[in-house]
Amino acid sequence: MSESVLNDYWQFNFPPFFTIQPNNETRKVQMEAWTSLILAYCESKNVYKLDVSRALHDQPFQNAAISRGLNQESLGTILEFMREKGKLEWIDKNKSKCYLLWHSPSEWARMIHSWAADTGHINSVCTFYEIISSDDTRSLPFHGMDPEFLRKCLKILEKEGKAVIISAEDDGGVKFL
């Protein structure tokens, strides 16, 4: 599926796409295209967290068919553009890891709470594993979500009075209200 996502973007096979363009108008279009491509690709692969140094060696940041890829500086420029547009959150101050936001944390929180309501989990406790790794959620968009990102989303529900997070050393849980 992810290969077909890349095929939806003609720019991915256009060598200049991998070089940050000097003209401001062209660069803005390029940054928007990269943002769309990265989010679509990562959504298709259920990638919620990006390790920047590792990402440079993989798709969609490399295209072996045309022998082109982004360098560290170019990727940094694109990721900063995504952050400014609200499509990325840095996890650490070194900007080495980030969350990719094809949905905002509040949108994820609503989806998770809807799942809990639809499946009879209101007023019961679910483990993080149940929410993001069980067979019951395999077809749902939050299946495979990073546990720390899940916790971030559940904190939104907690602030809204729709959940109580239960911490445990090795795993977490949540009581949906």
Side-chain angles (χ1 to χ4, degrees):
M1 175 168 179
S2 55
E3 194 64 40
S4 67
V5 167
L6 296 177
N7 291 334
D8 290 342
Y9 292 86
W10 64 267
Q11 300 97 324
F12 188 69
N13 291 308
F14 185 57
F17 187 56
F18 289 86
T19 303
I20 301 299
Q21 298 302 300
N23 178 283
N24 286 336
E25 296 285 324
T26 306
R27 180 183 305 173
K28 184 175 188 273
V29 171
Q30 179 188 32
M31 294 295 110
E32 294 286 352
W34 267 113
T35 298
S36 180
L37 182 147
I38 291 166
L39 293 176
Y41 181 84
C42 290
E43 182 176 10
S44 76
K45 305 269 290 174
N46 281 356
V47 175
Y48 302 88
K49 183 169 30 175
L50 187 70
D51 181 322
V52 177
S53 62
R54 288 184 178 174
L56 279 172
H57 308 292
D58 297 322
Q59 287 184 335
F61 310 106
Q62 295 289 321
N63 184 339
I66 62 170
S67 301
R68 295 294 297 208
L70 292 174
N71 62 30
Q72 184 80 34
E73 184 179 347
S74 297
L75 180 57
T77 299
I78 294 164
L79 296 179
E80 185 55 27
F81 178 85
M82 290 176 69
R83 186 200 61 77
E84 289 170 4
K85 296 294 182 185
K87 299 298 182 183
L88 176 147
E89 287 183 11
W90 291 111
I91 295 172
D92 61 348
K93 291 181 186 200
N94 296 332
K95 298 182 178 182
S96 65
K97 292 185 173 127
C98 61
Y99 291 124
L100 300 157
L101 305 176
W102 63 87
H103 293 297
S104 70
S106 59
E107 290 170 329
W108 284 117
R110 279 192 300 276
M111 280 188 254
I112 293 165
H113 193 268
S114 290
W115 165 79
D118 293 347
T119 57
H121 287 94
I122 299 298
N123 291 319
S124 65
V125 175
C126 292
T127 65
F128 286 9
Y129 178 86
E130 267 181 280
I131 297 168
I132 59 176
S133 299
S134 73
D135 288 341
D136 294 339
T137 63
R138 186 166 306 280
S139 65
L140 299 173
F142 51 84
H143 185 85
M145 181 181 280
D146 178 77
E148 286 307 309
F149 189 67
L150 173 64
R151 184 179 299 275
K152 178 182 183 69
C153 298
L154 293 173
K155 283 182 181 179
I156 293 167
L157 293 175
E158 193 170 50
K159 285 181 185 173
E160 294 174 351
K162 295 179 179 178
V164 176
I165 297 172
I166 302 163
S167 294
E169 285 184 32
D170 58 344
D171 195 7
V174 60
K175 180 176 182 178
F176 291 104
L177 306 172

